[in-house]
Amino acid sequence: MKLSNYLLPILKESPSEAKIKSHQLMLRSGMIRQSSSGIYSWLPLGFKVLKKIENIVREEQNKAGAIELLMPTIQSADIWKESGRYDDYGKEMLRIKDRQERDLLYGPTNEELITQIFKDNVKSYKNLPLMLYHIQWKFRDEIRPRFGVMRCREFLMKDTYSFDLNKQNAEYSYKKMYLSYLKTFEKLDLNAIPMQADTGPIGGDLSHEFIILTDTGESEVFLDKNLLNINIKNIDYTKNNIDKIIDKFSKLYSATDEKHSTSEFNRLVEKKNQLHTRGIEIGHIFYFGDKYSKSLKALVNTKEGKNINPQMGSYGIGVSRLPAAIIEAKYNNEFMKWPKSVTPFHVAIINLGKNGDEVDKKSNDIYTFLKNNSFDPLLDDTSESPASKFKNFDLIGIPYQIIIGSKMKKEEYEFKELGKGKMILSKSELLNRLKEIYHSDQ
Ligand code: ATP
Ligand code: MG
């Protein structure tokens, strides 16, 4: 993409309504714009990051054996009345009437609808286990929308639902999702810690929140510092391996404030390893048995010919909260650096020449060359001053830059990783370097 053809409305100043760095940066770098309270448009740069995150989430769900479908944003109130949550959900639910005066709502989550789909289409134990998911916009009329897309009213969520014959199998589905969340967040370069959590209005008795630690987070958390050092690289989905990894986490203390017990914390964790801090919830998993399959009368026929209510779990990831969460974790007050898995562009080409001169030609040439080699560069071909170009790119956070100025020889390119030193590379070295960066550990 050439910047002169793009929509990247950079703001020089931080808008006063933005209180935390991710909100400030997302507004300043032209990723999002508020359209009304707690409701945002995703401008091209933000949309690219959002889509990359969505795809990583999708890939890991597929690997864990979940199957994608798509349910609507608008749901009938009937199934919510049947489950009993129509009244329980309170003012967070956006209620709508259609022209026939029928009660509809904008879905805040999908336990009821997926149970209905299951009920209408699955009858036999032979179809279990089954894990279904979708990535769809949700609406919750939050009492205090704030921090930009971190806590907004319309947001994109990945939600998965598992159906099993018995509790033991349901726990295995739960563990698979637990592991797939660890892998997903690792791919996003986030150190997410699973913590015992309250189940809230969804109900059930087993629940973990996945939390990244930042002092701007809304959750108060207590944990054993050793949790920060667990290496989860190279993990696979064999049952043994799943148990081994989950064990590493679950034997160390971690809890959100609702589940925290000071006496347990002191008993289980040495003083020097106790960490009491704040964090951002990026995912939440629940096992809730037959709460919805019972109330909505979903039944499966067992091998023995009995009809039983399947055991269910639900598993959410805040996809549109993640760009903000990544910024909170990665921004260091001087510049933003996107993890390479979600960077909006692979590399920035900063053209310091003038329209039509040698430097300009060289910039356009390397831009075409990289595009022909399947890279996605952003070429700054505007007439802004060099100082302002550098400043803007520190803000946008593309992790690699190629700087084209008049001092370089014709076949030499200045290559820089944000926050690190520069190196001089030939064209073919440059290509190899980018291949190494982006194709090596995928
Ligand atoms: P919270 O405690 O933050 O309100 P929740 O427990 O209500 O979250 P879930 O129902 O478990 O959230 O939703 C799954 C995920 O969706 C959460 O882990 C979070 O990442 C995201 N999420 C929930 N509410 C919002 C919101 N208002 N804005 C953006 N993302 C949200
Ligand atoms: Mg909530």
Side-chain angles (χ1 to χ4, degrees):
M1 180 55 63
K2 294 187 178 179
L3 193 51
S4 59
N5 300 330
Y6 201 49
L7 176 67
L8 188 66
I10 286 180
L11 305 178
K12 292 237 165 354
E13 303 293 328
S14 245
S16 60
E17 76 266 24
K19 302 284 180 254
I20 60 171
K21 53 197 175 185
S22 56
H23 190 194
Q24 292 165 353
L25 196 114
M26 290 182 85
L27 290 171
R28 283 197 61 203
S29 65
M31 293 179 74
I32 52 166
R33 287 292 180 264
Q34 181 174 302
S35 77
S36 62
S37 167
I39 302 180
Y40 288 84
S41 297
W42 290 79
L43 301 192
L45 191 80
F47 187 64
K48 272 191 122 185
V49 174
L50 184 68
K51 283 286 147 185
K52 285 199 170 179
I53 292 173
E54 183 184 323
N55 280 333
I56 288 175
V57 170
R58 174 176 288 118
E59 246 173 62
E60 289 306 317
Q61 286 298 301
N62 294 345
K63 277 190 197 157
I67 305 164
E68 188 170 15
L69 47 68
L70 184 60
M71 290 174 270
T73 54
I74 307 287
Q75 301 180 23
S76 159
D78 294 349
I79 44 175
W80 287 76
K81 288 176 183 164
E82 229 177 291
S83 76
R85 276 210 293 183
Y86 193 62
D87 294 326
D88 292 352
Y89 225 93
K91 290 195 165 175
E92 257 192 35
M93 183 187 275
L94 181 65
R95 295 152 208 261
I96 309 163
K97 273 204 193 296
D98 69 10
R99 58 164 70 187
Q100 324 285 1
E101 292 291 307
R102 276 185 297 239
D103 290 324
L104 300 173
L105 56 98
Y106 195 124
T109 177
N110 284 61
E111 282 78 12
E112 282 79 358
L113 191 50
I114 198 79
T115 307
Q116 182 71 43
I117 290 172
F118 182 91
K119 175 182 169 175
D120 294 342
N121 298 287
V122 181
K123 307 285 177 212
S124 162
Y125 72 93
K126 290 179 190 154
N127 294 104
L128 299 188
L130 188 62
M131 284 201 281
L132 300 169
Y133 77 98
H134 74 159
I135 301 176
Q136 178 63 291
W137 293 90
K138 307 288 187 291
F139 195 95
R140 294 182 186 174
D141 204 351
E142 298 275 356
I143 186 159
R144 228 151 66 87
R146 58 182 182 155
F147 302 153
V149 295
M150 192 77 90
R151 178 162 302 282
C152 48
R153 299 199 297 165
E154 191 187 43
F155 61 97
L156 187 62
M157 195 208 284
K158 184 287 299 172
D159 37 328
T160 307
Y161 302 89
S162 63
F163 298 87
D164 282 280
L165 263 191
N166 54 44
K167 186 167 180 188
Q168 197 188 358
N169 294 0
E171 276 173 6
Y172 181 44
S173 296
Y174 184 91
K175 286 178 174 178
K176 271 198 206 160
M177 276 298 129
Y178 185 120
L179 196 70
S180 98
Y181 276 33
L182 290 174
K183 285 175 92 166
T184 304
F185 299 133
E186 191 219 0
K187 278 200 163 172
L188 298 171
D189 211 7
L190 290 173
N191 196 356
I193 317 259
M195 307 212 182
Q196 282 195 37
D198 219 19
T199 51
I202 288 187
D205 57 10
L206 181 58
S207 165
H208 285 89
E209 286 180 2
F210 287 74
I211 291 191
I212 57 164
L213 306 182
T214 62
D215 33 349
T216 47
E218 291 184 292
S219 311
E220 192 179 354
V221 296
F222 300 81
L223 64 146
D224 185 326
K225 276 185 195 158
N226 289 308
L227 276 163
L228 299 171
N229 304 322
I230 299 178
N231 183 348
I232 55 149
K233 287 210 169 15
N234 307 322
I235 49 185
D236 65 65
Y237 283 104
T238 53
K239 198 164 185 318
N240 266 348
N241 191 51
I242 292 183
D243 285 337
K244 218 167 75 197
I245 290 166
I246 294 184
D247 209 44
K248 277 191 191 172
F249 283 93
S250 53
K251 71 174 194 239
L252 296 171
Y253 187 97
S254 68
T256 55
D257 56 347
E258 298 104 342
K259 279 275 175 179
H260 174 65
S261 143
T262 310
S263 57
E264 281 294 281
F265 195 39
N266 288 331
R267 190 172 69 78
L268 296 168
V269 190
E270 275 182 71
K271 267 268 171 305
K272 68 172 171 46
N273 288 330
Q274 291 184 358
L275 187 57
H276 171 197
T277 181
R278 306 194 71 79
I280 301 169
E281 177 195 325
I282 50 179
H284 198 167
I285 60 178
F286 303 89
Y287 162 67
F288 46 73
D290 60 6
K291 182 172 160 68
Y292 298 95
S293 57
K294 208 169 186 170
S295 57
L296 292 163
K297 304 184 189 67
L299 290 166
V300 274
N301 200 254
T302 66
K303 211 170 182 173
E304 293 75 34
K306 272 200 326 202
N307 276 331
I308 59 155
N309 302 115
Q311 297 284 308
M312 292 175 60
S314 75
Y315 315 88
I317 291 184
V319 176
S320 61
R321 179 179 281 182
L322 276 165
I326 293 172
I327 293 171
E328 290 298 325
K330 304 289 170 198
Y331 180 48
N332 71 7
N333 282 323
E334 285 172 64
F335 57 84
M336 172 57 200
K337 186 175 177 185
W338 286 105
K340 59 188 181 182
S341 55
V342 300
T343 178
F345 292 94
H346 288 132
V347 60
I349 303 171
I350 307 182
N351 172 7
L352 301 178
K354 296 223 160 51
N355 206 353
D357 70 5
E358 282 306 310
V359 171
D360 184 45
K361 279 193 198 133
K362 186 175 166 184
S363 305
N364 276 288
D365 169 69
I366 193 76
Y367 171 75
T368 314
F369 175 72
L370 291 178
K371 275 186 80 85
N372 290 342
N373 280 282
S374 306
F375 283 101
D376 185 18
L378 178 64
L379 168 62
D380 189 343
D381 56 345
T382 64
S383 51
E384 296 259 331
S385 72
S388 116
K389 286 186 179 181
F390 288 127
K391 220 166 131 197
N392 287 344
F393 278 101
D394 279 354
L395 183 73
I396 298 167
I398 299 167
Y400 303 96
Q401 301 180 342
I402 301 166
I403 301 151
I404 317 265
S406 54
K407 289 195 198 111
M408 286 292 117
K409 293 200 191 114
K410 199 158 184 239
E411 267 305 301
E412 284 180 350
Y413 297 84
E414 209 176 301
F415 182 76
K416 184 182 159 192
E417 177 174 351
L418 273 186
K420 303 217 167 132
K422 293 173 187 168
M423 54 172 102
I424 308 294
L425 299 175
S426 71
K427 198 167 174 177
S428 61
E429 285 169 341
L430 186 61
L431 182 63
N432 286 335
R433 182 79 194 97
L434 286 172
K435 282 183 179 164
E436 244 169 61
I437 291 166
Y438 284 106
H439 305 324
S440 61
D441 59 2
Q442 298 290 311

PDB file of all heavy atoms in Angstrom, residues 83-95:
ATOM      1  N   SER A  83     -34.875 -20.090  28.802  1.00  0.00           N
ATOM      2  CA  SER A  83     -33.724 -20.414  29.664  1.00  0.00           C
ATOM      3  C   SER A  83     -33.788 -19.649  30.988  1.00  0.00           C
ATOM      4  O   SER A  83     -33.054 -19.944  31.916  1.00  0.00           O
ATOM      5  CB  SER A  83     -32.409 -20.082  28.960  1.00  0.00           C
ATOM      6  OG  SER A  83     -32.185 -18.683  28.982  1.00  0.00           O
ATOM      7  N   GLY A  84     -34.625 -18.625  31.031  1.00  0.00           N
ATOM      8  CA  GLY A  84     -34.752 -17.836  32.255  1.00  0.00           C
ATOM      9  C   GLY A  84     -33.820 -16.636  32.303  1.00  0.00           C
ATOM     10  O   GLY A  84     -33.840 -15.863  33.254  1.00  0.00           O
ATOM     11  N   ARG A  85     -33.021 -16.466  31.227  1.00  0.00           N
ATOM     12  CA  ARG A  85     -32.045 -15.363  31.303  1.00  0.00           C
ATOM     13  C   ARG A  85     -32.582 -14.031  30.782  1.00  0.00           C
ATOM     14  O   ARG A  85     -31.897 -13.020  30.861  1.00  0.00           O
ATOM     15  CB  ARG A  85     -30.772 -15.736  30.524  1.00  0.00           C
ATOM     16  CG  ARG A  85     -29.819 -16.557  31.359  1.00  0.00           C
ATOM     17  CD  ARG A  85     -28.383 -16.347  30.972  1.00  0.00           C
ATOM     18  NE  ARG A  85     -28.062 -16.850  29.649  1.00  0.00           N
ATOM     19  CZ  ARG A  85     -26.825 -16.814  29.134  1.00  0.00           C
ATOM     20  NH1 ARG A  85     -25.830 -16.290  29.819  1.00  0.00           N
ATOM     21  NH2 ARG A  85     -26.585 -17.283  27.932  1.00  0.00           N
ATOM     22  N   TYR A  86     -33.780 -14.052  30.191  1.00  0.00           N
ATOM     23  CA  TYR A  86     -34.306 -12.800  29.635  1.00  0.00           C
ATOM     24  C   TYR A  86     -34.456 -11.760  30.738  1.00  0.00           C
ATOM     25  O   TYR A  86     -34.121 -10.594  30.565  1.00  0.00           O
ATOM     26  CB  TYR A  86     -35.645 -13.052  28.944  1.00  0.00           C
ATOM     27  CG  TYR A  86     -36.102 -11.897  28.088  1.00  0.00           C
ATOM     28  CD1 TYR A  86     -35.363 -11.475  26.989  1.00  0.00           C
ATOM     29  CD2 TYR A  86     -37.288 -11.213  28.381  1.00  0.00           C
ATOM     30  CE1 TYR A  86     -35.775 -10.410  26.191  1.00  0.00           C
ATOM     31  CE2 TYR A  86     -37.716 -10.149  27.587  1.00  0.00           C
ATOM     32  CZ  TYR A  86     -36.951  -9.761  26.506  1.00  0.00           C
ATOM     33  OH  TYR A  86     -37.358  -8.704  25.719  1.00  0.00           O
ATOM     34  N   ASP A  87     -34.921 -12.222  31.869  1.00  0.00           N
ATOM     35  CA  ASP A  87     -35.065 -11.303  33.009  1.00  0.00           C
ATOM     36  C   ASP A  87     -33.738 -11.114  33.744  1.00  0.00           C
ATOM     37  O   ASP A  87     -33.380 -10.015  34.130  1.00  0.00           O
ATOM     38  CB  ASP A  87     -36.146 -11.802  33.967  1.00  0.00           C
ATOM     39  CG  ASP A  87     -37.515 -11.764  33.302  1.00  0.00           C
ATOM     40  OD1 ASP A  87     -37.741 -10.836  32.493  1.00  0.00           O
ATOM     41  OD2 ASP A  87     -38.326 -12.668  33.558  1.00  0.00           O
ATOM     42  N   ASP A  88     -32.990 -12.232  33.912  1.00  0.00           N
ATOM     43  CA  ASP A  88     -31.727 -12.163  34.674  1.00  0.00           C
ATOM     44  C   ASP A  88     -30.717 -11.191  34.068  1.00  0.00           C
ATOM     45  O   ASP A  88     -29.938 -10.584  34.792  1.00  0.00           O
ATOM     46  CB  ASP A  88     -31.039 -13.537  34.724  1.00  0.00           C
ATOM     47  CG  ASP A  88     -31.834 -14.531  35.553  1.00  0.00           C
ATOM     48  OD1 ASP A  88     -32.810 -14.089  36.195  1.00  0.00           O
ATOM     49  OD2 ASP A  88     -31.496 -15.731  35.535  1.00  0.00           O
ATOM     50  N   TYR A  89     -30.700 -11.082  32.744  1.00  0.00           N
ATOM     51  CA  TYR A  89     -29.619 -10.333  32.102  1.00  0.00           C
ATOM     52  C   TYR A  89     -29.670  -8.833  32.390  1.00  0.00           C
ATOM     53  O   TYR A  89     -28.667  -8.141  32.332  1.00  0.00           O
ATOM     54  CB  TYR A  89     -29.588 -10.590  30.590  1.00  0.00           C
ATOM     55  CG  TYR A  89     -28.177 -10.838  30.100  1.00  0.00           C
ATOM     56  CD1 TYR A  89     -27.678 -12.127  30.006  1.00  0.00           C
ATOM     57  CD2 TYR A  89     -27.340  -9.778  29.767  1.00  0.00           C
ATOM     58  CE1 TYR A  89     -26.375 -12.370  29.595  1.00  0.00           C
ATOM     59  CE2 TYR A  89     -26.036 -10.006  29.364  1.00  0.00           C
ATOM     60  CZ  TYR A  89     -25.561 -11.295  29.273  1.00  0.00           C
ATOM     61  OH  TYR A  89     -24.273 -11.521  28.873  1.00  0.00           O
ATOM     62  N   GLY A  90     -30.838  -8.350  32.701  1.00  0.00           N
ATOM     63  CA  GLY A  90     -30.960  -6.947  33.108  1.00  0.00           C
ATOM     64  C   GLY A  90     -30.701  -5.963  31.993  1.00  0.00           C
ATOM     65  O   GLY A  90     -30.907  -6.260  30.808  1.00  0.00           O
ATOM     66  N   LYS A  91     -30.204  -4.789  32.379  1.00  0.00           N
ATOM     67  CA  LYS A  91     -30.102  -3.682  31.421  1.00  0.00           C
ATOM     68  C   LYS A  91     -28.956  -3.818  30.437  1.00  0.00           C
ATOM     69  O   LYS A  91     -28.846  -3.046  29.487  1.00  0.00           O
ATOM     70  CB  LYS A  91     -29.971  -2.362  32.190  1.00  0.00           C
ATOM     71  CG  LYS A  91     -31.262  -1.995  32.885  1.00  0.00           C
ATOM     72  CD  LYS A  91     -31.253  -0.558  33.335  1.00  0.00           C
ATOM     73  CE  LYS A  91     -32.671  -0.131  33.690  1.00  0.00           C
ATOM     74  NZ  LYS A  91     -32.743   1.193  34.231  1.00  0.00           N
ATOM     75  N   GLU A  92     -28.052  -4.790  30.674  1.00  0.00           N
ATOM     76  CA  GLU A  92     -26.953  -4.964  29.723  1.00  0.00           C
ATOM     77  C   GLU A  92     -27.446  -5.463  28.371  1.00  0.00           C
ATOM     78  O   GLU A  92     -26.774  -5.360  27.361  1.00  0.00           O
ATOM     79  CB  GLU A  92     -25.906  -5.937  30.279  1.00  0.00           C
ATOM     80  CG  GLU A  92     -24.695  -5.220  30.786  1.00  0.00           C
ATOM     81  CD  GLU A  92     -23.513  -6.117  31.088  1.00  0.00           C
ATOM     82  OE1 GLU A  92     -23.288  -7.121  30.382  1.00  0.00           O
ATOM     83  OE2 GLU A  92     -22.807  -5.803  32.040  1.00  0.00           O
ATOM     84  N   MET A  93     -28.661  -6.049  28.371  1.00  0.00           N
ATOM     85  CA  MET A  93     -29.183  -6.591  27.125  1.00  0.00           C
ATOM     86  C   MET A  93     -29.951  -5.525  26.349  1.00  0.00           C
ATOM     87  O   MET A  93     -30.815  -4.848  26.908  1.00  0.00           O
ATOM     88  CB  MET A  93     -30.105  -7.765  27.436  1.00  0.00           C
ATOM     89  CG  MET A  93     -30.647  -8.437  26.203  1.00  0.00           C
ATOM     90  SD  MET A  93     -31.875  -9.654  26.665  1.00  0.00           S
ATOM     91  CE  MET A  93     -30.815 -11.037  27.000  1.00  0.00           C
ATOM     92  N   LEU A  94     -29.619  -5.385  25.089  1.00  0.00           N
ATOM     93  CA  LEU A  94     -30.316  -4.414  24.239  1.00  0.00           C
ATOM     94  C   LEU A  94     -31.558  -5.089  23.657  1.00  0.00           C
ATOM     95  O   LEU A  94     -31.466  -6.013  22.851  1.00  0.00           O
ATOM     96  CB  LEU A  94     -29.396  -3.938  23.122  1.00  0.00           C
ATOM     97  CG  LEU A  94     -29.974  -2.894  22.172  1.00  0.00           C
ATOM     98  CD1 LEU A  94     -30.268  -1.584  22.889  1.00  0.00           C
ATOM     99  CD2 LEU A  94     -29.022  -2.644  21.005  1.00  0.00           C
ATOM    100  N   ARG A  95     -32.715  -4.607  24.089  1.00  0.00           N
ATOM    101  CA  ARG A  95     -33.969  -5.237  23.681  1.00  0.00           C
ATOM    102  C   ARG A  95     -34.614  -4.430  22.559  1.00  0.00           C
ATOM    103  O   ARG A  95     -34.597  -3.199  22.593  1.00  0.00           O
ATOM    104  CB  ARG A  95     -34.905  -5.340  24.887  1.00  0.00           C
ATOM    105  CG  ARG A  95     -34.349  -6.289  25.964  1.00  0.00           C
ATOM    106  CD  ARG A  95     -34.815  -5.952  27.361  1.00  0.00           C
ATOM    107  NE  ARG A  95     -33.813  -6.378  28.338  1.00  0.00           N
ATOM    108  CZ  ARG A  95     -33.881  -7.508  29.052  1.00  0.00           C
ATOM    109  NH1 ARG A  95     -34.887  -8.315  28.913  1.00  0.00           N
ATOM    110  NH2 ARG A  95     -32.913  -7.814  29.889  1.00  0.00           N
TER     111      ARG A  95
END
